[in-house]
Coordinates of all heavy atoms in Angstrom, one line a residue:
V1 N -2.8 10.0 -3.0 CA -1.6 10.9 -2.7 C -0.7 11.0 -4.0 O 0.0 10.1 -4.3 CB -0.8 10.3 -1.5 CG1 0.3 11.2 -1.1 CG2 -1.8 10.0 -0.3
P2 N -0.8 12.1 -4.7 CA 0.0 12.2 -5.9 C 1.5 12.2 -5.6 O 1.9 12.5 -4.5 CB -0.4 13.6 -6.4 CG -1.6 14.0 -5.6 CD -1.5 13.3 -4.4
K3 N 2.3 12.0 -6.6 CA 3.9 12.0 -6.4 C 4.3 13.3 -5.9 O 3.7 14.3 -6.2 CB 4.5 11.6 -7.7 CG 4.5 12.7 -8.7 CD 5.3 12.2 -10.0 CE 5.6 13.4 -10.9 NZ 6.5 13.1 -12.0
G4 N 5.3 13.2 -5.0 CA 5.8 14.4 -4.5 C 5.0 15.0 -3.2 O 5.4 16.0 -2.6
T5 N 3.9 14.3 -2.9 CA 3.2 14.8 -1.7 C 3.0 13.7 -0.7 O 3.3 12.5 -1.0 CB 1.7 15.2 -2.1 OG1 1.1 14.2 -2.7 CG2 1.9 16.3 -3.1
L6 N 2.6 14.0 0.5 CA 2.4 13.0 1.6 C 1.0 13.2 2.1 O 0.5 14.3 2.0 CB 3.4 13.2 2.7 CG 4.8 12.8 2.3 CD1 5.8 13.2 3.5 CD2 5.0 11.3 2.1
P7 N 0.3 12.2 2.7 CA -1.0 12.4 3.3 C -0.8 13.4 4.6 O 0.3 13.5 5.1 CB -1.4 11.0 3.8 CG -0.1 10.2 3.8 CD 0.9 10.8 2.8
G8 N -1.8 13.9 5.0 CA -1.9 14.8 6.0 C -1.5 14.1 7.4 O -1.6 12.8 7.5
T9 N -1.3 14.8 8.4 CA -1.0 14.3 9.7 C -2.1 13.5 10.4 O -1.9 12.8 11.3 CB -0.4 15.4 10.7 OG1 -1.5 16.4 10.8 CG2 0.8 16.1 10.2
H10 N -3.3 13.7 9.8 CA -4.4 12.9 10.3 C -4.2 11.4 10.3 O -5.0 10.7 10.9 CB -5.8 13.3 9.7 CG -5.8 13.0 8.2 ND1 -5.2 13.7 7.2 CD2 -6.4 12.0 7.6 CE1 -5.4 13.2 6.1 NE2 -6.2 12.1 6.3
T11 N -3.3 11.0 9.5 CA -3.0 9.5 9.3 C -2.0 9.0 10.3 O -1.8 7.8 10.5 CB -2.5 9.3 7.9 OG1 -1.3 9.9 7.7 CG2 -3.5 9.6 6.8
T12 N -1.3 9.9 11.1 CA -0.3 9.5 12.1 C -1.0 8.6 13.1 O -2.0 9.0 13.8 CB 0.3 10.8 12.7 OG1 0.9 11.5 11.7 CG2 1.3 10.3 13.7
N13 N -0.3 7.6 13.4 CA -0.8 6.5 14.5 C -2.2 6.1 14.1 O -3.0 5.7 15.0 CB -0.7 7.1 15.8 CG 0.7 7.4 16.2 OD1 1.6 6.7 15.8 ND2 0.9 8.5 16.8
R14 N -2.7 6.1 12.9 CA -3.9 5.5 12.5 C -3.8 4.3 11.5 O -2.8 4.4 10.6 CB -4.7 6.5 11.7 CG -5.0 7.9 12.5 CD -6.1 7.8 13.5 NE -7.4 7.4 13.1 CZ -8.3 8.2 12.6 NH1 -8.0 9.5 12.3 NH2 -9.5 7.7 12.3
S15 N -4.5 3.3 11.6 CA -4.4 2.2 10.7 C -4.9 2.5 9.3 O -6.0 3.0 9.2 CB -5.1 0.9 11.2 OG -4.4 0.5 12.4
C16 N -4.1 2.3 8.3 CA -4.5 2.6 7.0 C -4.2 1.4 6.1 O -3.3 0.7 6.2 CB -3.8 3.8 6.4 SG -4.0 5.4 7.3
V17 N -5.2 1.2 5.1 CA -4.9 0.3 4.0 C -4.7 1.1 2.8 O -5.5 2.1 2.6 CB -6.0 -0.8 3.9 CG1 -5.9 -1.6 2.6 CG2 -6.2 -1.6 5.1
Y18 N -3.7 0.8 2.1 CA -3.4 1.7 0.9 C -3.1 0.8 -0.4 O -2.8 -0.4 -0.3 CB -2.1 2.6 1.2 CG -0.9 1.8 1.5 CD1 0.0 1.4 0.5 CD2 -0.6 1.3 2.8 CE1 1.1 0.7 0.8 CE2 0.6 0.6 3.1 CZ 1.4 0.3 2.1 OH 2.6 -0.4 2.3
I19 N -3.3 1.5 -1.5 CA -2.9 0.9 -2.8 C -1.8 1.8 -3.4 O -2.1 3.0 -3.5 CB -4.1 0.7 -3.7 CG1 -5.1 -0.2 -3.1 CG2 -3.7 0.2 -5.1 CD1 -6.5 -0.3 -3.9
A20 N -0.7 1.2 -3.8 CA 0.4 2.1 -4.4 C 0.4 1.8 -5.9 O 0.2 0.6 -6.3 CB 1.7 1.8 -3.8
R21 N 0.5 2.8 -6.7 CA 0.7 2.5 -8.1 C 2.1 2.9 -8.6 O 2.5 3.9 -8.3 CB -0.3 3.3 -9.0 CG -0.2 3.0 -10.5 CD -1.2 3.8 -11.3 NE -0.8 5.1 -11.5 CZ 0.1 5.5 -12.5 NH1 0.5 4.6 -13.3 NH2 0.4 6.8 -12.5
R22 N 2.8 2.0 -9.1 CA 4.2 2.3 -9.7 C 4.0 2.6 -11.2 O 3.8 1.8 -12.0 CB 5.0 1.0 -9.5 CG 6.5 1.2 -9.7 CD 7.4 0.1 -9.3 NE 7.1 -1.1 -10.1 CZ 7.7 -2.3 -9.9 NH1 8.6 -2.4 -8.8 NH2 7.6 -3.3 -10.7
P23 N 4.2 3.9 -11.4 CA 4.0 4.4 -12.8 C 4.8 3.8 -13.9 O 4.2 3.6 -15.0 CB 4.2 5.9 -12.7 CG 4.2 6.2 -11.2 CD 4.6 5.0 -10.5
R24 N 6.1 3.4 -13.6 CA 6.9 2.9 -14.7 C 6.4 1.6 -15.4 O 6.7 1.4 -16.5 CB 8.3 2.7 -14.2 CG 8.5 1.6 -13.2 CD 10.0 1.4 -13.0 NE 10.3 0.4 -11.9 CZ 10.6 0.6 -10.7 NH1 10.8 1.8 -10.2 NH2 10.8 -0.4 -9.9
D25 N 5.6 0.8 -14.6 CA 5.1 -0.4 -15.3 C 3.6 -0.5 -15.0 O 3.1 -1.6 -15.3 CB 5.9 -1.6 -14.9 CG 5.9 -1.9 -13.4 OD1 5.2 -1.1 -12.6 OD2 6.6 -2.8 -12.9
N26 N 2.9 0.4 -14.3 CA 1.6 0.4 -14.0 C 1.2 -0.8 -13.2 O 0.1 -1.4 -13.4 CB 0.8 0.6 -15.2 CG -0.6 1.2 -14.9 OD1 -0.7 2.1 -14.0 ND2 -1.6 0.7 -15.5
R27 N 2.0 -1.2 -12.2 CA 1.7 -2.3 -11.4 C 1.4 -1.8 -10.0 O 1.7 -0.6 -9.6 CB 2.9 -3.3 -11.2 CG 3.1 -4.0 -12.6 CD 4.2 -5.0 -12.6 NE 3.8 -6.1 -11.8 CZ 4.6 -7.1 -11.4 NH1 5.9 -7.0 -11.8 NH2 4.2 -8.1 -10.7
F28 N 0.7 -2.5 -9.2 CA 0.1 -2.1 -8.0 C 0.5 -2.9 -6.8 O 0.9 -4.1 -6.9 CB -1.5 -2.1 -8.0 CG -2.0 -1.2 -9.1 CD1 -2.1 -1.6 -10.4 CD2 -2.5 0.0 -8.8 CE1 -2.6 -0.8 -11.4 CE2 -2.9 0.9 -9.7 CZ -3.0 0.5 -11.0
Y29 N 0.4 -2.3 -5.6 CA 0.9 -3.0 -4.4 C -0.1 -2.5 -3.3 O -0.5 -1.3 -3.2 CB 2.2 -2.5 -3.9 CG 2.7 -3.1 -2.6 CD1 3.1 -4.4 -2.5 CD2 2.5 -2.4 -1.5 CE1 3.5 -5.0 -1.3 CE2 2.8 -3.1 -0.1 CZ 3.3 -4.3 -0.2 OH 3.7 -4.9 1.0
V30 N -0.7 -3.4 -2.6 CA -1.7 -3.2 -1.5 C -1.0 -3.5 -0.2 O -0.2 -4.5 0.0 CB -2.8 -4.2 -1.6 CG1 -3.9 -3.9 -0.5 CG2 -3.6 -3.9 -3.0
G31 N -1.1 -2.6 0.7 CA -0.4 -2.7 2.1 C -1.3 -2.1 3.1 O -2.3 -1.4 2.9
S32 N -0.7 -2.3 4.3 CA -1.4 -1.6 5.5 C -0.3 -1.1 6.4 O 0.8 -1.6 6.5 CB -2.3 -2.4 6.2 OG -1.6 -3.7 6.8
S33 N -0.5 0.0 7.1 CA 0.4 0.5 8.0 C -0.3 1.5 9.0 O -1.3 2.1 8.8 CB 1.4 1.5 7.2 OG 2.4 2.1 8.1
G34 N 0.3 1.6 10.2 CA -0.1 2.5 11.2 C 0.7 3.8 11.2 O 0.4 4.7 12.0
Q35 N 1.6 3.9 10.2 CA 2.5 5.1 10.0 C 2.6 5.4 8.6 O 3.6 5.1 8.0 CB 3.9 4.9 10.7 CG 3.9 4.7 12.2 CD 3.4 5.9 12.9 OE1 3.5 7.0 12.5 NE2 2.8 5.7 14.1
L36 N 1.5 5.8 8.0 CA 1.4 5.9 6.5 C 2.3 6.8 6.0 O 2.9 6.5 4.8 CB 0.0 6.2 6.1 CG -0.3 6.3 4.7 CD1 -0.2 4.8 4.0 CD2 -1.7 6.8 4.3
R37 N 2.6 8.0 6.5 CA 3.5 8.9 5.9 C 5.0 8.3 5.8 O 5.5 8.4 4.7 CB 3.6 10.2 6.8 CG 2.3 11.0 6.7 CD 2.3 12.2 7.8 NE 3.4 13.1 7.5 CZ 3.2 14.2 6.8 NH1 2.1 14.5 6.3 NH2 4.3 15.1 6.7
E38 N 5.3 7.7 6.9 CA 6.6 7.0 6.8 C 6.7 5.9 5.9 O 7.8 5.7 5.1 CB 7.2 6.5 8.3 CG 7.3 7.7 9.2 CD 6.1 8.3 9.8 OE1 5.0 7.8 9.5 OE2 6.3 9.3 10.5
R39 N 5.6 5.1 5.7 CA 5.6 4.0 4.8 C 5.7 4.4 3.4 O 6.4 3.9 2.6 CB 4.4 3.1 5.1 CG 4.4 1.9 4.3 CD 5.4 0.9 4.9 NE 5.5 -0.3 4.1 CZ 6.6 -0.9 3.7 NH1 7.8 -0.4 3.9 NH2 6.5 -2.0 3.0
I40 N 5.0 5.6 3.1 CA 5.1 6.1 1.7 C 6.5 6.6 1.5 O 7.0 6.3 0.3 CB 4.1 7.2 1.6 CG1 2.6 6.7 1.4 CG2 4.4 8.0 0.3 CD1 1.5 7.7 1.5
L41 N 7.2 7.2 2.4 CA 8.6 7.6 2.1 C 9.5 6.4 1.9 O 10.3 6.4 1.0 CB 9.1 8.4 3.4 CG 8.5 9.8 3.5 CD1 8.9 10.4 4.8 CD2 8.9 10.7 2.4
T42 N 9.2 5.3 2.5 CA 10.0 4.1 2.4 C 9.7 3.6 0.9 O 10.6 3.1 0.2 CB 9.6 3.0 3.4 OG1 10.0 3.5 4.7 CG2 10.4 1.7 3.1
H43 N 8.5 3.5 0.6 CA 8.1 3.0 -0.8 C 8.6 3.9 -1.9 O 9.0 3.4 -2.9 CB 6.6 2.9 -0.9 CG 6.0 1.7 -0.4 ND1 6.3 0.4 -0.5 CD2 4.9 1.6 0.5 CE1 5.6 -0.4 0.1 NE2 4.7 0.3 0.8
R44 N 8.8 5.2 -1.6 CA 9.3 6.1 -2.6 C 10.8 6.1 -2.7 O 11.3 6.7 -3.6 CB 8.6 7.5 -2.4 CG 7.3 7.5 -2.9 CD 6.7 8.8 -2.7 NE 5.3 9.0 -3.2 CZ 4.5 10.0 -2.8 NH1 4.8 10.9 -2.0 NH2 3.3 10.0 -3.4
S45 N 11.4 5.5 -1.7 CA 12.8 5.6 -1.7 C 13.5 4.5 -2.7 O 13.2 3.3 -2.5 CB 13.4 5.3 -0.3 OG 14.9 5.2 -0.2
P46 N 14.3 4.9 -3.7 CA 14.8 3.9 -4.6 C 15.6 2.9 -4.0 O 15.8 1.8 -4.5 CB 15.6 4.7 -5.6 CG 15.2 6.1 -5.5 CD 14.6 6.3 -4.0
G47 N 16.4 3.2 -2.9 CA 17.2 2.2 -2.2 C 16.5 1.3 -1.2 O 17.1 0.7 -0.4
S48 N 15.2 1.2 -1.2 CA 14.4 0.5 -0.1 C 14.0 -0.8 -0.6 O 13.0 -1.3 0.0 CB 13.2 1.4 0.3 OG 12.3 1.5 -0.8
A49 N 14.7 -1.5 -1.5 CA 14.2 -2.8 -2.0 C 14.0 -3.8 -0.9 O 13.2 -4.7 -1.1 CB 15.2 -3.3 -3.1
A50 N 14.7 -3.8 0.1 CA 14.7 -4.9 1.1 C 13.3 -4.7 1.9 O 12.7 -5.7 2.4 CB 15.8 -4.8 2.2
S51 N 12.7 -3.5 2.0 CA 11.5 -3.3 2.8 C 10.4 -2.8 2.0 O 9.4 -2.4 2.6 CB 11.8 -2.4 4.0 OG 12.2 -1.1 3.5
S52 N 10.5 -2.8 0.7 CA 9.5 -2.2 -0.1 C 9.4 -2.9 -1.4 O 10.4 -3.2 -2.1 CB 9.7 -0.7 -0.3 OG 8.8 -0.2 -1.4
Q53 N 8.1 -3.3 -1.9 CA 7.9 -3.9 -3.2 C 7.9 -2.7 -4.3 O 8.1 -3.1 -5.4 CB 6.6 -4.6 -3.2 CG 6.6 -5.9 -2.4 CD 7.4 -7.0 -3.0 OE1 7.6 -7.2 -4.2 NE2 8.0 -7.8 -2.2
V54 N 7.7 -1.5 -3.9 CA 7.4 -0.4 -4.8 C 8.7 0.3 -5.2 O 9.0 0.4 -6.4 CB 6.4 0.6 -4.3 CG1 6.1 1.7 -5.3 CG2 5.1 -0.1 -3.9
H55 N 9.5 0.8 -4.2 CA 10.6 1.6 -4.4 C 10.7 2.4 -5.7 O 11.5 2.2 -6.6 CB 12.0 0.7 -4.2 CG 12.0 -0.6 -4.9 ND1 12.5 -0.8 -6.2 CD2 11.7 -1.8 -4.5 CE1 12.5 -2.0 -6.5 NE2 12.0 -2.6 -5.5
D56 N 9.8 3.4 -5.8 CA 9.7 4.3 -7.0 C 9.4 5.6 -6.4 O 8.3 5.9 -5.8 CB 8.6 3.8 -7.9 CG 8.5 4.6 -9.3 OD1 9.0 5.7 -9.2 OD2 8.1 4.0 -10.2
P57 N 10.1 6.7 -6.7 CA 9.9 8.1 -6.3 C 8.7 8.6 -6.8 O 8.1 9.6 -6.3 CB 11.2 8.8 -6.6 CG 11.8 8.0 -7.7 CD 11.4 6.6 -7.4
D58 N 8.1 8.1 -7.9 CA 7.0 8.6 -8.6 C 5.7 7.9 -8.2 O 4.5 8.2 -8.7 CB 7.1 8.6 -10.1 CG 8.3 9.5 -10.6 OD1 8.5 10.6 -9.9 OD2 8.9 9.2 -11.5
A59 N 5.8 7.0 -7.2 CA 4.6 6.2 -6.9 C 3.5 7.0 -6.3 O 3.7 8.1 -5.7 CB 5.0 5.2 -5.8
E60 N 2.3 6.6 -6.7 CA 1.1 7.3 -6.2 C 0.3 6.4 -5.3 O 0.3 5.2 -5.5 CB 0.3 7.7 -7.3 CG 0.9 8.6 -8.4 CD 0.1 8.8 -9.6 OE1 -0.5 7.8 -10.2 OE2 0.2 9.9 -10.2
F61 N -0.5 7.0 -4.4 CA -1.2 6.1 -3.3 C -2.6 6.6 -3.2 O -2.9 7.8 -3.3 CB -0.5 6.3 -2.0 CG 0.9 5.8 -2.0 CD1 2.1 6.5 -2.5 CD2 1.2 4.5 -1.5 CE1 3.3 6.0 -2.5 CE2 2.5 4.0 -1.5 CZ 3.6 4.7 -2.0
L62 N -3.4 5.6 -2.9 CA -4.8 5.8 -2.5 C -4.9 5.1 -1.2 O -4.4 4.0 -1.0 CB -5.7 5.1 -3.5 CG -7.2 5.1 -3.2 CD1 -7.7 6.5 -3.3 CD2 -8.0 4.2 -4.2
Y63 N -5.6 5.7 -0.1 CA -5.6 5.0 1.1 C -7.0 5.2 1.8 O -7.7 6.2 1.5 CB -4.6 5.5 2.0 CG -4.7 6.9 2.5 CD1 -5.4 7.2 3.7 CD2 -4.1 8.0 1.8 CE1 -5.6 8.6 4.1 CE2 -4.4 9.4 2.2 CZ -5.0 9.7 3.3 OH -5.3 10.9 3.7
V64 N -7.2 4.4 2.7 CA -8.5 4.5 3.6 C -8.1 4.3 5.1 O -7.2 3.3 5.3 CB -9.7 3.6 3.1 CG1 -9.2 2.2 3.2 CG2 -10.8 3.9 3.9
I65 N -8.6 5.0 6.0 CA -8.4 4.8 7.4 C -9.3 3.7 7.9 O -10.5 3.8 7.6 CB -8.4 6.1 8.2 CG1 -7.4 7.1 7.8 CG2 -8.3 5.8 9.7 CD1 -7.5 8.4 8.4
V66 N -8.8 2.7 8.5 CA -9.6 1.6 9.0 C -9.3 1.4 10.6 O -8.4 1.9 11.1 CB -9.4 0.4 8.2 CG1 -9.8 0.5 6.8 CG2 -7.9 -0.1 8.4
S67 N -10.1 0.5 11.2 CA -9.8 0.2 12.5 C -8.6 -0.7 12.6 O -8.4 -1.5 11.7 CB -11.0 -0.5 13.3 OG -11.2 -1.8 12.7
S68 N -7.8 -0.6 13.6 CA -6.6 -1.4 13.7 C -6.9 -2.9 13.8 O -6.1 -3.8 13.3 CB -5.8 -1.0 14.9 OG -6.4 -1.2 16.1
S69 N -8.0 -3.3 14.3 CA -8.4 -4.7 14.5 C -8.8 -5.3 13.1 O -8.8 -6.5 13.0 CB -9.6 -4.8 15.4 OG -10.7 -4.2 15.0
T70 N -9.1 -4.5 12.0 CA -9.5 -5.0 10.8 C -8.6 -4.7 9.6 O -8.8 -5.1 8.5 CB -10.9 -4.4 10.4 OG1 -10.9 -3.0 10.2 CG2 -12.0 -4.8 11.4
A71 N -7.6 -4.0 9.9 CA -6.6 -3.6 8.8 C -6.1 -4.7 8.0 O -6.1 -4.7 6.8 CB -5.4 -2.8 9.4
R72 N -5.7 -5.8 8.6 CA -5.0 -6.9 7.9 C -6.2 -7.7 7.1 O -5.9 -8.1 6.0 CB -4.3 -7.9 8.8 CG -3.2 -7.4 9.5 CD -2.0 -7.2 8.6 NE -0.8 -6.8 9.3 CZ 0.3 -6.5 8.8 NH1 0.5 -6.6 7.5 NH2 1.3 -6.2 9.5
A73 N -7.3 -7.7 7.6 CA -8.4 -8.4 6.9 C -8.9 -7.6 5.7 O -9.1 -8.2 4.6 CB -9.6 -8.6 7.7
V74 N -8.9 -6.2 5.8 CA -9.3 -5.4 4.8 C -8.2 -5.5 3.6 O -8.5 -5.6 2.5 CB -9.5 -4.0 5.2 CG1 -9.6 -2.9 4.1 CG2 -10.7 -3.8 6.1
E75 N -6.9 -5.5 4.1 CA -5.8 -5.6 3.2 C -5.9 -6.8 2.3 O -5.7 -6.8 1.1 CB -4.4 -5.5 3.9 CG -3.2 -5.7 3.0 CD -1.9 -5.8 3.8 OE1 -2.0 -5.8 5.1 OE2 -0.9 -6.0 3.2
A76 N -6.1 -8.0 3.0 CA -6.3 -9.3 2.3 C -7.4 -9.3 1.3 O -7.4 -9.8 0.2 CB -6.3 -10.3 3.3
A77 N -8.6 -8.7 1.7 CA -9.7 -8.6 0.9 C -9.5 -7.8 -0.4 O -10.0 -8.2 -1.5 CB -10.9 -8.1 1.7
V78 N -8.8 -6.7 -0.2 CA -8.5 -5.8 -1.4 C -7.6 -6.5 -2.3 O -7.8 -6.5 -3.6 CB -7.9 -4.5 -0.9 CG1 -7.4 -3.7 -2.1 CG2 -8.9 -3.6 -0.2
I79 N -6.5 -7.2 -1.8 CA -5.7 -8.0 -2.7 C -6.4 -9.1 -3.4 O -6.3 -9.3 -4.6 CB -4.5 -8.7 -1.8 CG1 -3.6 -7.6 -1.3 CG2 -3.8 -9.7 -2.6 CD1 -2.6 -8.1 -0.2
K80 N -7.3 -9.9 -2.7 CA -8.1 -10.9 -3.4 C -9.0 -10.4 -4.4 O -9.2 -10.9 -5.5 CB -8.9 -11.7 -2.3 CG -8.0 -12.6 -1.5 CD -8.8 -13.3 -0.5 CE -7.8 -14.3 0.3 NZ -8.5 -15.0 1.3
E81 N -9.6 -9.2 -4.2 CA -10.5 -8.5 -5.2 C -9.6 -8.1 -6.4 O -10.0 -8.3 -7.6 CB -11.2 -7.3 -4.6 CG -12.2 -6.8 -5.5 CD -13.4 -7.7 -5.9 OE1 -13.7 -8.6 -5.1 OE2 -13.9 -7.5 -6.9
C82 N -8.5 -7.6 -6.2 CA -7.6 -7.1 -7.2 C -7.2 -8.4 -8.1 O -7.1 -8.3 -9.3 CB -6.3 -6.5 -6.8 SG -6.7 -4.7 -6.1
M83 N -6.9 -9.4 -7.4 CA -6.5 -10.7 -8.2 C -7.7 -11.1 -9.0 O -7.5 -11.6 -10.1 CB -6.1 -11.8 -7.1 CG -4.8 -11.5 -6.4 SD -4.4 -12.6 -5.0 CE -4.4 -14.2 -5.7
A84 N -8.9 -11.1 -8.4 CA -10.1 -11.5 -9.2 C -10.3 -10.7 -10.4 O -10.8 -11.2 -11.4 CB -11.3 -11.6 -8.3
E85 N -9.9 -9.4 -10.4 CA -10.1 -8.5 -11.5 C -8.8 -8.4 -12.3 O -8.8 -7.6 -13.3 CB -10.4 -7.1 -11.0 CG -11.8 -7.1 -10.2 CD -13.0 -7.4 -11.1 OE1 -12.9 -7.0 -12.3 OE2 -13.9 -8.0 -10.7
N86 N -7.9 -9.3 -12.1 CA -6.6 -9.3 -12.9 C -5.8 -8.1 -12.8 O -5.1 -7.6 -13.9 CB -6.9 -9.8 -14.3 CG -7.4 -11.2 -14.4 OD1 -6.8 -12.0 -13.8 ND2 -8.4 -11.4 -15.2
V87 N -5.9 -7.4 -11.7 CA -5.1 -6.1 -11.6 C -3.6 -6.7 -11.4 O -3.3 -7.5 -10.7 CB -5.5 -5.3 -10.3 CG1 -4.6 -4.2 -10.0 CG2 -7.0 -4.9 -10.5
P88 N -2.7 -6.0 -12.2 CA -1.3 -6.5 -12.1 C -0.6 -6.1 -10.8 O -0.4 -4.9 -10.5 CB -0.5 -5.8 -13.2 CG -1.4 -4.6 -13.5 CD -2.9 -5.0 -13.1
L89 N -0.5 -7.0 -9.8 CA 0.1 -6.7 -8.5 C 1.5 -7.1 -8.3 O 2.0 -8.0 -9.0 CB -0.7 -7.5 -7.4 CG -2.2 -7.2 -7.3 CD1 -2.9 -8.2 -6.3 CD2 -2.4 -5.8 -6.7
L90 N 2.2 -6.3 -7.6 CA 3.6 -6.6 -7.2 C 3.8 -7.8 -6.4 O 4.8 -8.5 -6.4 CB 4.3 -5.4 -6.7 CG 4.5 -4.2 -7.7 CD1 4.8 -2.9 -7.0 CD2 5.5 -4.6 -8.6
S91 N 2.8 -8.0 -5.5 CA 2.9 -9.1 -4.5 C 1.4 -9.5 -4.1 O 0.5 -8.7 -4.0 CB 3.6 -8.6 -3.3 OG 3.5 -9.6 -2.2
T92 N 1.2 -10.8 -3.9 CA 0.0 -11.3 -3.4 C 0.1 -12.0 -2.1 O -0.8 -12.6 -1.6 CB -0.6 -12.3 -4.5 OG1 0.2 -13.3 -4.7 CG2 -1.1 -11.6 -5.7
H93 N 1.3 -11.9 -1.5 CA 1.7 -12.6 -0.2 C 0.6 -12.4 0.9 O 0.3 -13.4 1.5 CB 3.1 -12.2 0.1 CG 3.5 -12.9 1.4 ND1 3.3 -12.4 2.7 CD2 4.1 -14.1 1.6 CE1 3.7 -13.2 3.6 NE2 4.2 -14.3 3.0
D94 N 0.2 -11.2 1.1 CA -0.6 -10.9 2.2 C -2.1 -11.2 1.9 O -3.0 -10.9 2.7 CB -0.5 -9.5 2.6 CG 0.9 -9.3 3.3 OD1 1.5 -10.2 3.9 OD2 1.3 -8.1 3.2
A95 N -2.5 -11.9 0.8 CA -3.8 -12.2 0.5 C -4.3 -13.3 1.4 O -5.5 -13.6 1.6 CB -3.9 -12.7 -0.9
N96 N -3.4 -14.0 2.0 CA -3.7 -15.2 2.9 C -3.7 -14.8 4.3 O -3.2 -15.5 5.2 CB -2.7 -16.3 2.7 CG -2.7 -16.8 1.2 OD1 -3.8 -17.0 0.6 ND2 -1.5 -17.0 0.7
S97 N -4.4 -13.8 4.6 CA -4.6 -13.3 6.0 C -5.4 -14.3 6.9 O -6.4 -14.9 6.5 CB -5.3 -11.9 6.1 OG -5.6 -11.6 7.4
R98 N -4.9 -14.5 8.1 CA -5.6 -15.5 8.9 C -6.8 -14.8 9.6 O -7.6 -15.5 10.2 CB -4.6 -15.9 10.1 CG -4.2 -14.7 10.9 CD -3.0 -15.1 11.9 NE -2.4 -14.0 12.4 CZ -2.2 -13.7 13.6 NH1 -2.6 -14.6 14.6 NH2 -1.6 -12.6 14.1
W99 N -7.1 -13.6 9.3 CA -8.2 -12.9 9.8 C -9.4 -13.0 9.0 O -10.4 -12.5 9.4 CB -7.9 -11.5 10.1 CG -6.6 -11.2 10.9 CD1 -5.4 -10.8 10.5 CD2 -6.6 -11.5 12.4 NE1 -4.5 -10.8 11.5 CE2 -5.2 -11.1 12.7 CE3 -7.4 -11.9 13.3 CZ2 -4.8 -11.3 14.0 CZ3 -6.9 -12.0 14.6 CH2 -5.7 -11.7 14.9
L100 N -9.3 -13.6 7.8 CA -10.5 -13.7 7.0 C -11.3 -14.9 7.3 O -10.8 -16.0 7.8 CB -10.1 -13.8 5.6 CG -9.6 -12.4 5.0 CD1 -9.2 -12.5 3.5 CD2 -10.6 -11.4 5.1

């Protein structure tokens, strides 16, 4: 999802795992949400520091729609794979999913 755009409405009420790239320092954030459009708006809001690791209006996103029962496990697996590949992550907190 390039800066200035949002994903289509097909993501509404669908579980998605996403990777955000913060261009100013080329760091990444992996997350999951059932309301991807709203979550991207939060991440792109500069004043959203309390609820977002990204808070960058130029952030870009890549996402995949997954089943709600596997979203957290997929998120944790992606974080762990990024860590193994030394991808610069903003947070690794959710790598310890109890679903793995």
Side-chain angles (χ1 to χ4, degrees):
V1 181
K3 74 176 188 172
T5 65
L6 291 171
T9 56
H10 66 281
T11 62
T12 303
N13 296 321
R14 305 279 305 273
S15 293
C16 296
V17 173
Y18 62 90
I19 301 173
R21 183 180 77 87
R22 191 167 68 181
R24 70 174 176 253
D25 58 6
N26 205 37
R27 293 182 71 192
F28 296 83
Y29 178 80
V30 179
S32 61
S33 177
Q35 298 294 330
L36 185 61
R37 291 170 63 95
E38 291 79 6
R39 190 68 182 134
I40 287 176
L41 288 170
T42 299
H43 280 309
R44 286 182 173 159
S45 176
S48 65
S51 62
S52 169
Q53 293 285 329
V54 181
H55 47 88
D56 185 335
D58 295 328
E60 301 169 320
F61 295 80
L62 175 70
Y63 70 91
V64 61
I65 296 172
V66 297
S67 71
S68 59
S69 63
T70 62
R72 295 287 185 187
V74 171
E75 176 185 2
V78 171
I79 292 169
K80 287 180 180 181
E81 187 64 27
C82 287
M83 291 169 60
E85 295 296 324
N86 295 314
V87 173
L89 294 173
L90 292 163
S91 173
T92 59
H93 179 267
D94 290 333
N96 299 317
S97 173
R98 60 189 166 127
W99 303 107
L100 290 180

